[in-house]
Amino acid sequence: MSGALVLFSGGQDSATCLAWALDRFDHVETIGFDYGQRHRAELDARTVVLDRIRALKDWGDKLGEDRILNLGVLGEISDTALTQDVEIVTAASGLPNTFVPGRNLLFLTFAAAIAYRRGLKHVVTGVCETDYSGYAISVGDGFGVKYAGGVSEVMYIGRGVFSNRIRSHLHNWIFDMSRSLRDVSFRFYMGSIGDKRSPESFKDFEHFLLDQFREKFGEKPLLNKYAGREGRIAHEFNGDWNAPMNNRGKNYQWEIRPTEKNAWFKYYEDE
């Protein structure tokens, strides 16, 4: 049975995403976030929309558990008109001061954790294109990938509408990788540069980061198949990357090593 978790605020964008998911998956659960947002109408509308969907013959049986997480800390660290009682204006960045930096990143992190626990492989969300950014995904907890020029925690460098890209990564490899590496965590970093309305600037940014990475570590990150303006990457990593610690007799082309932050690093350094 296919299942999905939908980030459902109660507004029209996420309601559209919920309808899209109910039309495609056998079981759909929903999650919302209360972070002290001033526009409470959407949260109030959530139960109304969900109750009406449950009354529908085709979708009602598919709609499962709903939950709301309290993320009040986001309101405490965000000095924006969406969480503070200030006038809505356009900031120097060209964005309205209702923009809450890192909001969707935080939402997806919590949603992914709950989806994993609930056995839901798909995470569905809808976001604005102003979330376009450059980003990196790394393995944490003092471990990294052994590259030709050394050990780095970075596994992927990319660009795009971050929420959509992370959803794709979750579906394609993060869930499989996390089961393989057990207690090793993943970290997500994103950066905003130049004009957020110009995807071309982020293509240049990605190209620059990948070049710098290759210069330092001798090759491109493990999971990058395409790089900036170069097109497809030719590197040694094969298709068995997603289960590196499962003892199935495969000949893996890469390995996990401790970084300098790990107490075990000195034992590997002596090799």
Side-chain angles (χ1 to χ4, degrees):
M1 181 177 71
S2 61
L5 178 65
V6 176
L7 281 72
F8 179 57
S9 68
Q12 62 180 5
D13 293 338
S14 62
T16 301
C17 290
L18 179 56
W20 181 91
L22 287 167
D23 203 37
R24 288 163 173 78
F25 299 104
D26 300 318
H27 178 74
V28 176
E29 298 185 12
T30 50
I31 183 170
F33 302 94
D34 185 346
Y35 54 96
Q37 59 267 52
R38 291 170 59 188
H39 59 299
R40 311 293 294 182
E42 287 188 349
L43 285 179
D44 295 338
R46 291 181 84 259
T47 54
V48 176
V49 175
L50 291 175
D51 285 345
R52 291 187 178 182
I53 289 178
R54 293 186 196 282
L56 298 176
K57 180 179 179 181
D58 294 333
W59 286 353
D61 293 338
K62 293 183 176 182
L63 188 58
E65 184 176 339
D66 175 53
R67 56 177 57 78
I68 295 181
L69 292 188
N70 186 340
L71 295 182
V73 65
L74 185 58
E76 295 176 14
I77 65 174
S78 299
D79 185 19
T80 74
L82 201 61
T83 56
Q84 306 292 330
D85 188 14
V86 296
E87 181 183 1
I88 298 177
V89 297
T90 300
S93 64
L95 297 173
N97 64 342
T98 53
F99 176 68
V100 182
R103 179 183 62 171
N104 291 323
L105 170 61
L106 188 61
F107 288 173
L108 280 165
T109 300
F110 278 95
I114 290 175
Y116 180 82
R117 179 172 60 83
R118 297 287 297 168
L120 303 170
K121 190 171 183 179
H122 303 275
V123 178
V124 180
T125 185
V127 298
C128 176
E129 194 168 351
T130 52
D131 286 335
Y132 205 101
S133 64
Y135 65 94
I137 303 176
S138 73
V139 62
D141 302 315
F143 292 95
V145 177
K146 182 183 178 183
Y147 294 100
V151 177
S152 173
E153 297 177 350
V154 175
M155 307 182 78
Y156 185 88
I157 293 173
R159 60 182 165 82
V161 178
F162 185 74
S163 303
N164 293 342
R165 297 297 298 134
I166 290 301
R167 179 180 63 191
S168 174
H169 293 313
L170 286 168
H171 174 72
N172 290 328
W173 63 269
I174 292 179
F175 277 123
D176 291 335
M177 185 77 81
S178 64
R179 282 196 293 267
S180 172
L181 298 181
R182 304 288 181 179
D183 295 328
V184 175
S185 64
F186 291 90
R187 297 176 182 174
F188 306 89
Y189 304 91
M190 61 184 294
S192 300
I193 52 97
D195 185 350
K196 293 180 72 67
R197 293 167 296 183
S198 175
E200 290 299 308
S201 64
F202 288 97
K203 186 178 291 187
D204 292 333
F205 183 48
E206 177 193 38
H207 184 91
F208 170 78
L209 290 178
L210 288 167
D211 269 355
Q212 292 295 303
F213 188 91
R214 179 172 56 184
E215 183 176 334
K216 182 173 182 179
F217 295 102
E219 51 197 326
K220 296 291 177 61
L222 171 68
L223 298 176
N224 277 91
K225 305 301 181 186
Y226 293 87
R229 298 184 180 279
E230 297 179 24
R232 189 167 182 84
I233 297 173
H235 56 44
E236 298 298 324
F237 304 129
N238 70 1
D240 292 333
W241 53 263
N242 64 335
M245 303 186 78
N246 287 356
N247 185 17
R248 298 176 182 172
K250 295 181 180 180
N251 295 318
Y252 295 102
Q253 302 298 312
W254 70 284
E255 61 183 286
I256 289 286
R257 284 289 188 100
T259 66
E260 295 181 8
K261 302 174 185 179
N262 192 309
W264 289 96
F265 176 76
K266 61 181 180 180
Y267 298 104
Y268 284 85
E269 189 179 27
D270 294 336
E271 291 185 1

